[in-house]
Amino acid sequence: MTAPAIHIEGALHRAQSLLIDRFAITFAAGGWSALLGASGVGKTSLFRLIAGLPSAALLDGQIAASDGAPIGPRVAMMAQDDQLLPWADALDNIMISARLRGDLLQPDHAAALLSDVGLAGFERRKPAQMSAGQRQRVALARLLYEDRTIVLLDEPFSALDVMTRVATQDLAARLLAGRTVVLITHDPAEAIRLADVAWIATRAGILPCPLPAARPPRPPEAVSTLSSQAALFQRLRLISETGAA
Amino acid sequence: MMQNLFHTLLRGLVVLLVPIAGWQATVTLSGIPQYILPGPILVAQSLWDNAGLLWQNALWSAGNLGLGLLAGIILGIETALMLALSPRARWLLRPMLVIAQAVPVFALAPVITLWLGYGMPSKIVTIALVTYFPITSALFDRLVALPAGLVDLSQLSGGNPCRELLFLRLPHAVPGLLSGLRLAVVYGPLAVLIGEWVGSSQGLGHLMLMSNGRGQTALMFAALLVLAFLSLCLWLAVEALSRWATRLLLCG
Ligand SMILES: Nc1ncnc2c1ncn2[C@@H]1O[C@H](COP(=O)(O)OP(=O)(O)O)[C@@H](O)[C@H]1O
Ligand SMILES: [Mg+2]
């Protein structure tokens, strides 16, 4: 499993209007990239283009993997709402993609992943019988079952309470190590904790964002984490006030 | 548990007995003639006296109803699945579905009787027709309303449309099928009556017309009661099915 880097360059449009002006960015191979930016700037639209899903936006430019192979079939995605099937239990939810393809099911492997995310014994629980944090961990196990090299996370932790969020972030950082992970977030703390590389999307383009020297996942209470967080917060505020960098 | 059962029974008894007592009181106090409104005692008497006749006609109506419902449900499910799978079928048939919802299909009963005669076929077709459309559209509406996140999931997983239909759309559409069934068991008995009123030599609707014509109002009421009982049983069956399916789909 060699995870490629992803290069994107161009400008993002929606209908006749410009969403993000010309930019060129790289999501690091086998590492975590954070994509920050105000709500509505076009982050989700860009994600859908990367994944090859129907998107209302259009990229005047190109998206390419560093190894030149197509990206779509190597992508797994996780969104803010967990997108679990309400009628299926945890195991069936984890294996749903395999079932949709008609692949041979591996319930033992699914159960092992479920216990990796700390939910051993939850095999037969349905989503309605789990907390938001537990559901998000089932979604993480489903992502791992797919075993794709490119992982797109669209604000996956934003609906969780702070302590659950920190725990789920650590879990995801550990279990997704080695893959090319792109994380959309509006939370500066999350970007500072998890990212190897971070980008800030604005109407004027996508700007690089400095991070602490320590390797992620960085402890949320460390001074360097907190001061970077403060700096990023200041910068985001400046951007939202002036409309650009 | 026992306490609960007792309360349910008690409530049922009260709900049943109070209107019946009111009915009897109205008849006794107002002096309405029997051939306009027979009292419940008279109707019960008629039920008892004509048990054989009622049973025979009820059997015929219930048989038609069962076969008609079955045909309507199976064809409805099949059509909805086909529409969900094929954009071309959708393009062709969807307008018809919309029109059928706006036009009272019941009005076709005389035409169907004209074409198929007074026997069972015309009854079964009428019943199937009026249940077919609500089943089709209720199921189809849910089949195509798969949440966007699940559509993405399906596309990213690289599955085929048939498996998507079977493992995502169909389970998601079960509530739609259930609401279609609820409509079907209301429309079905209505179609029985209308079909038999338009022209039939058997059945509860036929019996109602006959006894009305002969001034046997109590027998007409008895036939009506039997049909109401039949509808109630169907409705209870659908309710039970719906509760079972909901529990199966959501937890446990
Ligand atoms: N279905 C839609 N209909 C109309 N406008 C939409 C739709 N989806 C997104 N948009 C618009 O497209 C822009 C980009 O949306 P999105 O990519 O979801 O932003 P982000 O994920 O950064 O919050 C927004 O301005 C939003 O209003
Ligand atoms: Mg978004």
Side-chain angles (χ1 to χ4, degrees), chain B residues 87-131:
Chain B
R88 192 171 302 171
R90 209 147 53 219
W91 182 83
L92 264 173
L93 295 180
R94 210 170 173 182
M96 198 185 78
L97 218 57
V98 173
I99 292 170
Q101 274 180 304
V103 175
V105 184
F106 286 104
L108 289 177
V111 183
I112 293 167
T113 308
L114 177 70
W115 289 342
L116 298 179
Y118 283 8
M120 276 177 77
S122 69
K123 308 296 167 282
I124 293 175
V125 168
T126 306
I127 297 163
L129 204 61
V130 300
T131 51

mmCIF file of all heavy atoms in Angstrom, chain B residues 87-131:
data_model
loop_
_atom_site.group_PDB
_atom_site.id
_atom_site.type_symbol
_atom_site.label_atom_id
_atom_site.label_comp_id
_atom_site.label_asym_id
_atom_site.label_seq_id
_atom_site.Cartn_x
_atom_site.Cartn_y
_atom_site.Cartn_z
ATOM 1 N N PRO B 87 -34.340 4.309 -15.938
ATOM 2 C CA PRO B 87 -34.740 5.686 -16.240
ATOM 3 C C PRO B 87 -35.718 5.738 -17.412
ATOM 4 O O PRO B 87 -36.604 6.585 -17.442
ATOM 5 C CB PRO B 87 -33.430 6.374 -16.610
ATOM 6 C CG PRO B 87 -32.354 5.505 -16.069
ATOM 7 C CD PRO B 87 -32.895 4.113 -16.050
ATOM 8 N N ARG B 88 -35.562 4.803 -18.355
ATOM 9 C CA ARG B 88 -36.443 4.816 -19.516
ATOM 10 C C ARG B 88 -37.877 4.473 -19.102
ATOM 11 O O ARG B 88 -38.826 5.133 -19.504
ATOM 12 C CB ARG B 88 -35.942 3.819 -20.560
ATOM 13 C CG ARG B 88 -36.641 3.982 -21.895
ATOM 14 C CD ARG B 88 -35.979 3.152 -22.970
ATOM 15 N NE ARG B 88 -34.565 3.489 -23.147
ATOM 16 C CZ ARG B 88 -33.738 2.786 -23.909
ATOM 17 N NH1 ARG B 88 -34.162 1.720 -24.531
ATOM 18 N NH2 ARG B 88 -32.472 3.156 -24.031
ATOM 19 N N ALA B 89 -38.008 3.441 -18.244
ATOM 20 C CA ALA B 89 -39.338 3.077 -17.750
ATOM 21 C C ALA B 89 -39.938 4.247 -16.970
ATOM 22 O O ALA B 89 -41.131 4.524 -17.058
ATOM 23 C CB ALA B 89 -39.236 1.844 -16.861
ATOM 24 N N ARG B 90 -39.061 4.938 -16.231
ATOM 25 C CA ARG B 90 -39.522 6.085 -15.459
ATOM 26 C C ARG B 90 -40.083 7.142 -16.391
ATOM 27 O O ARG B 90 -41.149 7.702 -16.176
ATOM 28 C CB ARG B 90 -38.328 6.637 -14.680
ATOM 29 C CG ARG B 90 -38.699 7.293 -13.404
ATOM 30 C CD ARG B 90 -37.658 7.114 -12.331
ATOM 31 N NE ARG B 90 -36.322 7.512 -12.727
ATOM 32 C CZ ARG B 90 -35.234 6.842 -12.369
ATOM 33 N NH1 ARG B 90 -35.341 5.770 -11.623
ATOM 34 N NH2 ARG B 90 -34.050 7.256 -12.728
ATOM 35 N N TRP B 91 -39.354 7.425 -17.444
ATOM 36 C CA TRP B 91 -39.752 8.452 -18.398
ATOM 37 C C TRP B 91 -41.104 8.106 -19.007
ATOM 38 O O TRP B 91 -41.951 8.961 -19.212
ATOM 39 C CB TRP B 91 -38.670 8.544 -19.473
ATOM 40 C CG TRP B 91 -38.909 9.590 -20.499
ATOM 41 C CD1 TRP B 91 -38.620 10.918 -20.392
ATOM 42 C CD2 TRP B 91 -39.493 9.421 -21.782
ATOM 43 N NE1 TRP B 91 -38.982 11.570 -21.512
ATOM 44 C CE2 TRP B 91 -39.518 10.688 -22.397
ATOM 45 C CE3 TRP B 91 -39.998 8.321 -22.480
ATOM 46 C CZ2 TRP B 91 -40.023 10.883 -23.672
ATOM 47 C CZ3 TRP B 91 -40.505 8.525 -23.749
ATOM 48 C CH2 TRP B 91 -40.521 9.792 -24.337
ATOM 49 N N LEU B 92 -41.319 6.816 -19.272
ATOM 50 C CA LEU B 92 -42.555 6.376 -19.899
ATOM 51 C C LEU B 92 -43.736 6.350 -18.935
ATOM 52 O O LEU B 92 -44.835 6.784 -19.250
ATOM 53 C CB LEU B 92 -42.360 4.954 -20.449
ATOM 54 C CG LEU B 92 -41.985 4.840 -21.912
ATOM 55 C CD1 LEU B 92 -41.667 3.400 -22.254
ATOM 56 C CD2 LEU B 92 -43.135 5.339 -22.774
ATOM 57 N N LEU B 93 -43.493 5.798 -17.734
ATOM 58 C CA LEU B 93 -44.624 5.433 -16.878
ATOM 59 C C LEU B 93 -44.950 6.430 -15.774
ATOM 60 O O LEU B 93 -46.025 6.406 -15.215
ATOM 61 C CB LEU B 93 -44.365 4.062 -16.243
ATOM 62 C CG LEU B 93 -44.297 2.895 -17.224
ATOM 63 C CD1 LEU B 93 -44.048 1.592 -16.501
ATOM 64 C CD2 LEU B 93 -45.599 2.812 -18.013
ATOM 65 N N ARG B 94 -43.995 7.299 -15.465
ATOM 66 C CA ARG B 94 -44.233 8.179 -14.327
ATOM 67 C C ARG B 94 -45.431 9.112 -14.522
ATOM 68 O O ARG B 94 -46.219 9.298 -13.595
ATOM 69 C CB ARG B 94 -42.979 8.974 -13.993
ATOM 70 C CG ARG B 94 -42.922 9.275 -12.519
ATOM 71 C CD ARG B 94 -41.594 9.851 -12.138
ATOM 72 N NE ARG B 94 -41.620 10.295 -10.755
ATOM 73 C CZ ARG B 94 -40.597 10.878 -10.179
ATOM 74 N NH1 ARG B 94 -39.500 11.089 -10.851
ATOM 75 N NH2 ARG B 94 -40.677 11.260 -8.930
ATOM 76 N N PRO B 95 -45.602 9.695 -15.720
ATOM 77 C CA PRO B 95 -46.779 10.548 -15.930
ATOM 78 C C PRO B 95 -48.080 9.794 -15.663
ATOM 79 O O PRO B 95 -49.012 10.322 -15.059
ATOM 80 C CB PRO B 95 -46.675 10.934 -17.411
ATOM 81 C CG PRO B 95 -45.242 10.768 -17.755
ATOM 82 C CD PRO B 95 -44.738 9.661 -16.906
ATOM 83 N N MET B 96 -48.102 8.521 -16.083
ATOM 84 C CA MET B 96 -49.304 7.718 -15.857
ATOM 85 C C MET B 96 -49.587 7.573 -14.368
ATOM 86 O O MET B 96 -50.725 7.626 -13.918
ATOM 87 C CB MET B 96 -49.097 6.338 -16.489
ATOM 88 C CG MET B 96 -50.382 5.579 -16.700
ATOM 89 S SD MET B 96 -50.028 3.921 -17.321
ATOM 90 C CE MET B 96 -49.537 3.078 -15.860
ATOM 91 N N LEU B 97 -48.510 7.395 -13.627
ATOM 92 C CA LEU B 97 -48.643 7.229 -12.181
ATOM 93 C C LEU B 97 -49.224 8.492 -11.547
ATOM 94 O O LEU B 97 -50.081 8.431 -10.667
ATOM 95 C CB LEU B 97 -47.256 6.944 -11.606
ATOM 96 C CG LEU B 97 -47.171 5.939 -10.473
ATOM 97 C CD1 LEU B 97 -47.743 4.611 -10.884
ATOM 98 C CD2 LEU B 97 -45.723 5.796 -10.024
ATOM 99 N N VAL B 98 -48.737 9.637 -12.020
ATOM 100 C CA VAL B 98 -49.222 10.914 -11.486
ATOM 101 C C VAL B 98 -50.697 11.101 -11.834
ATOM 102 O O VAL B 98 -51.514 11.484 -10.987
ATOM 103 C CB VAL B 98 -48.379 12.084 -12.049
ATOM 104 C CG1 VAL B 98 -48.975 13.412 -11.633
ATOM 105 C CG2 VAL B 98 -46.944 11.956 -11.582
ATOM 106 N N ILE B 99 -51.048 10.804 -13.078
ATOM 107 C CA ILE B 99 -52.434 10.965 -13.512
ATOM 108 C C ILE B 99 -53.350 10.032 -12.712
ATOM 109 O O ILE B 99 -54.428 10.431 -12.257
ATOM 110 C CB ILE B 99 -52.563 10.680 -15.026
ATOM 111 C CG1 ILE B 99 -51.850 11.785 -15.810
ATOM 112 C CG2 ILE B 99 -54.020 10.580 -15.443
ATOM 113 C CD1 ILE B 99 -51.709 11.490 -17.289
ATOM 114 N N ALA B 100 -52.884 8.792 -12.511
ATOM 115 C CA ALA B 100 -53.710 7.825 -11.790
ATOM 116 C C ALA B 100 -53.984 8.286 -10.366
ATOM 117 O O ALA B 100 -54.975 7.902 -9.757
ATOM 118 C CB ALA B 100 -53.033 6.458 -11.776
ATOM 119 N N GLN B 101 -53.065 9.100 -9.825
ATOM 120 C CA GLN B 101 -53.289 9.592 -8.468
ATOM 121 C C GLN B 101 -54.312 10.717 -8.439
ATOM 122 O O GLN B 101 -54.988 10.927 -7.445
ATOM 123 C CB GLN B 101 -51.973 10.078 -7.867
ATOM 124 C CG GLN B 101 -51.194 8.953 -7.223
ATOM 125 C CD GLN B 101 -49.897 9.462 -6.643
ATOM 126 O OE1 GLN B 101 -49.093 10.064 -7.341
ATOM 127 N NE2 GLN B 101 -49.694 9.223 -5.377
ATOM 128 N N ALA B 102 -54.395 11.454 -9.560
ATOM 129 C CA ALA B 102 -55.292 12.601 -9.602
ATOM 130 C C ALA B 102 -56.699 12.201 -10.026
ATOM 131 O O ALA B 102 -57.663 12.881 -9.719
ATOM 132 C CB ALA B 102 -54.730 13.652 -10.558
ATOM 133 N N VAL B 103 -56.828 11.083 -10.744
ATOM 134 C CA VAL B 103 -58.125 10.639 -11.264
ATOM 135 C C VAL B 103 -58.651 9.509 -10.389
ATOM 136 O O VAL B 103 -57.892 8.623 -9.993
ATOM 137 C CB VAL B 103 -57.951 10.126 -12.716
ATOM 138 C CG1 VAL B 103 -59.239 9.553 -13.253
ATOM 139 C CG2 VAL B 103 -57.435 11.238 -13.607
ATOM 140 N N PRO B 104 -59.948 9.529 -10.045
ATOM 141 C CA PRO B 104 -60.478 8.430 -9.242
ATOM 142 C C PRO B 104 -60.561 7.134 -10.052
ATOM 143 O O PRO B 104 -61.387 7.028 -10.959
ATOM 144 C CB PRO B 104 -61.865 8.911 -8.820
ATOM 145 C CG PRO B 104 -62.207 9.992 -9.774
ATOM 146 C CD PRO B 104 -60.938 10.573 -10.301
ATOM 147 N N VAL B 105 -59.669 6.198 -9.727
ATOM 148 C CA VAL B 105 -59.623 4.937 -10.466
ATOM 149 C C VAL B 105 -60.918 4.142 -10.265
ATOM 150 O O VAL B 105 -61.309 3.342 -11.101
ATOM 151 C CB VAL B 105 -58.401 4.121 -10.011
ATOM 152 C CG1 VAL B 105 -58.268 2.847 -10.823
ATOM 153 C CG2 VAL B 105 -57.143 4.951 -10.136
ATOM 154 N N PHE B 106 -61.593 4.416 -9.141
ATOM 155 C CA PHE B 106 -62.861 3.743 -8.849
ATOM 156 C C PHE B 106 -63.858 3.901 -9.994
ATOM 157 O O PHE B 106 -64.674 3.034 -10.250
ATOM 158 C CB PHE B 106 -63.495 4.322 -7.585
ATOM 159 C CG PHE B 106 -62.806 3.891 -6.339
ATOM 160 C CD1 PHE B 106 -61.966 4.752 -5.649
ATOM 161 C CD2 PHE B 106 -63.005 2.610 -5.838
ATOM 162 C CE1 PHE B 106 -61.331 4.343 -4.491
ATOM 163 C CE2 PHE B 106 -62.377 2.201 -4.684
ATOM 164 C CZ PHE B 106 -61.540 3.069 -4.011
ATOM 165 N N ALA B 107 -63.764 5.043 -10.676
ATOM 166 C CA ALA B 107 -64.719 5.344 -11.738
ATOM 167 C C ALA B 107 -64.617 4.346 -12.886
ATOM 168 O O ALA B 107 -65.502 4.261 -13.731
ATOM 169 C CB ALA B 107 -64.490 6.763 -12.250
ATOM 170 N N LEU B 108 -63.531 3.574 -12.903
ATOM 171 C CA LEU B 108 -63.359 2.599 -13.979
ATOM 172 C C LEU B 108 -64.182 1.327 -13.754
ATOM 173 O O LEU B 108 -64.301 0.498 -14.662
ATOM 174 C CB LEU B 108 -61.882 2.223 -14.126
ATOM 175 C CG LEU B 108 -60.981 3.313 -14.711
ATOM 176 C CD1 LEU B 108 -59.546 2.832 -14.728
ATOM 177 C CD2 LEU B 108 -61.436 3.666 -16.119
ATOM 178 N N ALA B 109 -64.718 1.175 -12.530
ATOM 179 C CA ALA B 109 -65.417 -0.065 -12.196
ATOM 180 C C ALA B 109 -66.502 -0.447 -13.218
ATOM 181 O O ALA B 109 -66.552 -1.608 -13.650
ATOM 182 C CB ALA B 109 -65.987 0.010 -10.789
ATOM 183 N N PRO B 110 -67.371 0.488 -13.646
ATOM 184 C CA PRO B 110 -68.392 0.094 -14.629
ATOM 185 C C PRO B 110 -67.779 -0.388 -15.936
ATOM 186 O O PRO B 110 -68.257 -1.344 -16.543
ATOM 187 C CB PRO B 110 -69.179 1.397 -14.858
ATOM 188 C CG PRO B 110 -68.878 2.251 -13.689
ATOM 189 C CD PRO B 110 -67.510 1.881 -13.223
ATOM 190 N N VAL B 111 -66.701 0.274 -16.376
ATOM 191 C CA VAL B 111 -66.043 -0.118 -17.625
ATOM 192 C C VAL B 111 -65.484 -1.534 -17.492
ATOM 193 O O VAL B 111 -65.650 -2.379 -18.379
ATOM 194 C CB VAL B 111 -64.910 0.869 -17.954
ATOM 195 C CG1 VAL B 111 -64.278 0.498 -19.281
ATOM 196 C CG2 VAL B 111 -65.434 2.292 -17.973
ATOM 197 N N ILE B 112 -64.831 -1.776 -16.357
ATOM 198 C CA ILE B 112 -64.234 -3.096 -16.150
ATOM 199 C C ILE B 112 -65.312 -4.173 -16.120
ATOM 200 O O ILE B 112 -65.154 -5.255 -16.699
ATOM 201 C CB ILE B 112 -63.412 -3.103 -14.845
ATOM 202 C CG1 ILE B 112 -62.193 -2.186 -15.009
ATOM 203 C CG2 ILE B 112 -62.961 -4.508 -14.489
ATOM 204 C CD1 ILE B 112 -61.495 -1.884 -13.724
ATOM 205 N N THR B 113 -66.434 -3.845 -15.483
ATOM 206 C CA THR B 113 -67.530 -4.816 -15.426
ATOM 207 C C THR B 113 -68.098 -5.062 -16.824
ATOM 208 O O THR B 113 -68.433 -6.188 -17.190
ATOM 209 C CB THR B 113 -68.630 -4.305 -14.477
ATOM 210 O OG1 THR B 113 -68.028 -3.957 -13.239
ATOM 211 C CG2 THR B 113 -69.687 -5.376 -14.241
ATOM 212 N N LEU B 114 -68.172 -3.971 -17.596
ATOM 213 C CA LEU B 114 -68.664 -4.104 -18.970
ATOM 214 C C LEU B 114 -67.775 -5.056 -19.770
ATOM 215 O O LEU B 114 -68.238 -5.892 -20.531
ATOM 216 C CB LEU B 114 -68.684 -2.715 -19.613
ATOM 217 C CG LEU B 114 -69.111 -2.643 -21.079
ATOM 218 C CD1 LEU B 114 -70.597 -2.957 -21.203
ATOM 219 C CD2 LEU B 114 -68.800 -1.278 -21.668
ATOM 220 N N TRP B 115 -66.475 -4.931 -19.570
ATOM 221 C CA TRP B 115 -65.544 -5.734 -20.356
ATOM 222 C C TRP B 115 -65.396 -7.166 -19.840
ATOM 223 O O TRP B 115 -65.260 -8.095 -20.607
ATOM 224 C CB TRP B 115 -64.159 -5.068 -20.374
ATOM 225 C CG TRP B 115 -64.122 -3.807 -21.197
ATOM 226 C CD1 TRP B 115 -65.040 -3.432 -22.143
ATOM 227 C CD2 TRP B 115 -63.153 -2.771 -21.133
ATOM 228 N NE1 TRP B 115 -64.701 -2.231 -22.678
ATOM 229 C CE2 TRP B 115 -63.534 -1.782 -22.084
ATOM 230 C CE3 TRP B 115 -62.000 -2.544 -20.398
ATOM 231 C CZ2 TRP B 115 -62.808 -0.620 -22.296
ATOM 232 C CZ3 TRP B 115 -61.265 -1.391 -20.610
ATOM 233 C CH2 TRP B 115 -61.674 -0.441 -21.545
ATOM 234 N N LEU B 116 -65.376 -7.302 -18.501
ATOM 235 C CA LEU B 116 -65.031 -8.609 -17.934
ATOM 236 C C LEU B 116 -66.227 -9.370 -17.355
ATOM 237 O O LEU B 116 -66.079 -10.482 -16.868
ATOM 238 C CB LEU B 116 -63.953 -8.461 -16.853
ATOM 239 C CG LEU B 116 -62.611 -7.887 -17.335
ATOM 240 C CD1 LEU B 116 -61.647 -7.758 -16.172
ATOM 241 C CD2 LEU B 116 -62.018 -8.755 -18.430
ATOM 242 N N GLY B 117 -67.396 -8.754 -17.366
ATOM 243 C CA GLY B 117 -68.578 -9.469 -16.904
ATOM 244 C C GLY B 117 -68.805 -9.340 -15.411
ATOM 245 O O GLY B 117 -68.094 -8.619 -14.709
ATOM 246 N N TYR B 118 -69.823 -10.061 -14.922
ATOM 247 C CA TYR B 118 -70.258 -9.928 -13.535
ATOM 248 C C TYR B 118 -69.487 -10.819 -12.567
ATOM 249 O O TYR B 118 -69.636 -10.707 -11.368
ATOM 250 C CB TYR B 118 -71.755 -10.257 -13.426
ATOM 251 C CG TYR B 118 -72.664 -9.148 -13.904
ATOM 252 C CD1 TYR B 118 -72.147 -8.017 -14.538
ATOM 253 C CD2 TYR B 118 -74.049 -9.221 -13.717
ATOM 254 C CE1 TYR B 118 -72.975 -7.001 -14.973
ATOM 255 C CE2 TYR B 118 -74.883 -8.204 -14.146
ATOM 256 C CZ TYR B 118 -74.342 -7.093 -14.777
ATOM 257 O OH TYR B 118 -75.155 -6.098 -15.203
ATOM 258 N N GLY B 119 -68.655 -11.696 -13.083
ATOM 259 C CA GLY B 119 -68.012 -12.685 -12.216
ATOM 260 C C GLY B 119 -66.788 -12.174 -11.481
ATOM 261 O O GLY B 119 -66.565 -10.970 -11.358
ATOM 262 N N MET B 120 -65.988 -13.120 -10.991
ATOM 263 C CA MET B 120 -64.818 -12.790 -10.193
ATOM 264 C C MET B 120 -63.788 -11.922 -10.915
ATOM 265 O O MET B 120 -63.245 -10.999 -10.301
ATOM 266 C CB MET B 120 -64.131 -14.079 -9.710
ATOM 267 C CG MET B 120 -64.729 -14.650 -8.450
ATOM 268 S SD MET B 120 -63.941 -16.190 -7.996
ATOM 269 C CE MET B 120 -62.420 -15.601 -7.291
ATOM 270 N N PRO B 121 -63.470 -12.206 -12.186
ATOM 271 C CA PRO B 121 -62.379 -11.444 -12.819
ATOM 272 C C PRO B 121 -62.550 -9.937 -12.731
ATOM 273 O O PRO B 121 -61.608 -9.224 -12.387
ATOM 274 C CB PRO B 121 -62.423 -11.925 -14.283
ATOM 275 C CG PRO B 121 -63.019 -13.284 -14.200
ATOM 276 C CD PRO B 121 -64.005 -13.240 -13.077
ATOM 277 N N SER B 122 -63.755 -9.440 -13.009
ATOM 278 C CA SER B 122 -63.929 -7.991 -12.991
ATOM 279 C C SER B 122 -63.713 -7.440 -11.576
ATOM 280 O O SER B 122 -63.153 -6.358 -11.382
ATOM 281 C CB SER B 122 -65.324 -7.617 -13.494
ATOM 282 O OG SER B 122 -66.313 -8.018 -12.573
ATOM 283 N N LYS B 123 -64.123 -8.207 -10.550
ATOM 284 C CA LYS B 123 -63.949 -7.745 -9.164
ATOM 285 C C LYS B 123 -62.478 -7.699 -8.800
ATOM 286 O O LYS B 123 -61.970 -6.732 -8.235
ATOM 287 C CB LYS B 123 -64.689 -8.676 -8.195
ATOM 288 C CG LYS B 123 -66.144 -8.919 -8.561
ATOM 289 C CD LYS B 123 -66.939 -7.628 -8.479
ATOM 290 C CE LYS B 123 -68.286 -7.793 -9.146
ATOM 291 N NZ LYS B 123 -68.246 -7.729 -10.635
ATOM 292 N N ILE B 124 -61.793 -8.787 -9.162
ATOM 293 C CA ILE B 124 -60.373 -8.861 -8.813
ATOM 294 C C ILE B 124 -59.587 -7.752 -9.512
ATOM 295 O O ILE B 124 -58.737 -7.095 -8.898
ATOM 296 C CB ILE B 124 -59.811 -10.255 -9.167
ATOM 297 C CG1 ILE B 124 -60.467 -11.306 -8.267
ATOM 298 C CG2 ILE B 124 -58.299 -10.295 -9.012
ATOM 299 C CD1 ILE B 124 -60.091 -12.719 -8.584
ATOM 300 N N VAL B 125 -59.907 -7.503 -10.771
ATOM 301 C CA VAL B 125 -59.187 -6.457 -11.507
ATOM 302 C C VAL B 125 -59.459 -5.084 -10.888
ATOM 303 O O VAL B 125 -58.546 -4.269 -10.720
ATOM 304 C CB VAL B 125 -59.575 -6.477 -12.999
ATOM 305 C CG1 VAL B 125 -59.079 -5.226 -13.708
ATOM 306 C CG2 VAL B 125 -59.005 -7.718 -13.670
ATOM 307 N N THR B 126 -60.726 -4.825 -10.527
ATOM 308 C CA THR B 126 -61.041 -3.530 -9.905
ATOM 309 C C THR B 126 -60.247 -3.333 -8.617
ATOM 310 O O THR B 126 -59.642 -2.285 -8.388
ATOM 311 C CB THR B 126 -62.547 -3.442 -9.591
ATOM 312 O OG1 THR B 126 -63.276 -3.719 -10.776
ATOM 313 C CG2 THR B 126 -62.911 -2.068 -9.076
ATOM 314 N N ILE B 127 -60.263 -4.362 -7.774
ATOM 315 C CA ILE B 127 -59.549 -4.261 -6.493
ATOM 316 C C ILE B 127 -58.048 -4.095 -6.726
ATOM 317 O O ILE B 127 -57.389 -3.248 -6.102
ATOM 318 C CB ILE B 127 -59.818 -5.506 -5.628
ATOM 319 C CG1 ILE B 127 -61.301 -5.599 -5.282
ATOM 320 C CG2 ILE B 127 -58.992 -5.455 -4.347
ATOM 321 C CD1 ILE B 127 -61.728 -6.960 -4.798
ATOM 322 N N ALA B 128 -57.512 -4.897 -7.647
ATOM 323 C CA ALA B 128 -56.076 -4.816 -7.930
ATOM 324 C C ALA B 128 -55.708 -3.430 -8.443
ATOM 325 O O ALA B 128 -54.697 -2.855 -8.047
ATOM 326 C CB ALA B 128 -55.692 -5.882 -8.950
ATOM 327 N N LEU B 129 -56.570 -2.879 -9.281
ATOM 328 C CA LEU B 129 -56.286 -1.579 -9.890
ATOM 329 C C LEU B 129 -56.235 -0.460 -8.843
ATOM 330 O O LEU B 129 -55.318 0.367 -8.851
ATOM 331 C CB LEU B 129 -57.366 -1.278 -10.927
ATOM 332 C CG LEU B 129 -56.979 -0.314 -12.041
ATOM 333 C CD1 LEU B 129 -55.825 -0.894 -12.839
ATOM 334 C CD2 LEU B 129 -58.178 -0.039 -12.934
ATOM 335 N N VAL B 130 -57.207 -0.448 -7.931
ATOM 336 C CA VAL B 130 -57.225 0.655 -6.968
ATOM 337 C C VAL B 130 -56.138 0.500 -5.909
ATOM 338 O O VAL B 130 -55.784 1.468 -5.253
ATOM 339 C CB VAL B 130 -58.590 0.830 -6.271
ATOM 340 C CG1 VAL B 130 -59.679 1.119 -7.282
ATOM 341 C CG2 VAL B 130 -58.939 -0.355 -5.426
ATOM 342 N N THR B 131 -55.607 -0.711 -5.710
ATOM 343 C CA THR B 131 -54.515 -0.855 -4.745
ATOM 344 C C THR B 131 -53.150 -0.715 -5.414
ATOM 345 O O THR B 131 -52.183 -0.319 -4.778
ATOM 346 C CB THR B 131 -54.581 -2.218 -4.028
ATOM 347 O OG1 THR B 131 -54.693 -3.247 -5.002
ATOM 348 C CG2 THR B 131 -55.758 -2.280 -3.104
#
